[in-house]
Amino acid sequence: GYADAMNVLAGYRVSGVFPGDDLGVEVAEILIHGLGLPGPTGPTAWRRDKATMQERLREEGLAYVRGGLARTAEEALARIPLPLVLKPNRGSGNVGVHLCSTADDVRLAFACPMG
């Protein structure tokens, strides 16, 4: 577990922990805080969950790409004007990302695995 990893790392001069991809963010944050290293504050969702991230940026008065959370194709079509980009709420890179120009594109994107 994480305690074993921190015990091993305690024998080294660790100056930072960096995740290799989005899936490693939570583990990296656990190790950073467990080793007493400087790092991010606040819940991991502020960095991994796109809807939460947008809300935090809005609260802080920072610029962000307008978007929203939609659980169905019809909800997306009702709330977001075309053309639009659909992206899974969690994840990174272009996995599950769809550029949609029509309502049929949106419905097809929601039918695909990973959104």
Side-chain angles (χ1 to χ4, degrees):
Y2 301 118
D4 293 337
M6 284 188 261
N7 286 334
V8 170
L9 293 171
Y12 297 90
R13 278 186 60 196
V14 178
S15 58
V17 177
F18 302 93
D21 62 24
D22 193 56
L23 297 175
V25 170
E26 292 177 54
V27 173
E29 290 185 13
I30 289 167
L31 293 174
I32 286 167
H33 295 297
L35 295 168
L37 299 171
T41 60
T44 302
W46 288 358
R47 290 168 291 288
R48 297 226 32 232
D49 181 280
K50 291 169 186 65
T52 301
M53 187 184 313
Q54 280 193 336
E55 181 60 31
R56 288 291 302 149
L57 292 170
R58 187 173 22 261
E59 287 171 1
E60 295 298 324
L62 298 171
Y64 61 95
V65 176
R66 186 174 59 91
L69 183 63
R71 296 187 186 337
T72 67
E74 298 312 314
E75 184 180 354
L77 289 166
R79 295 181 50 214
I80 306 165
L82 293 169
L84 60 86
V85 175
L86 286 178
K87 189 171 185 176
N89 195 41
R90 292 188 61 126
S92 64
N94 63 357
V95 176
V97 176
H98 299 269
L99 174 58
C100 302
S101 300
T102 68
D104 285 341
D105 291 343
V106 174
R107 291 181 187 102
L108 181 60
F110 267 89
C112 290
M114 287 293 296

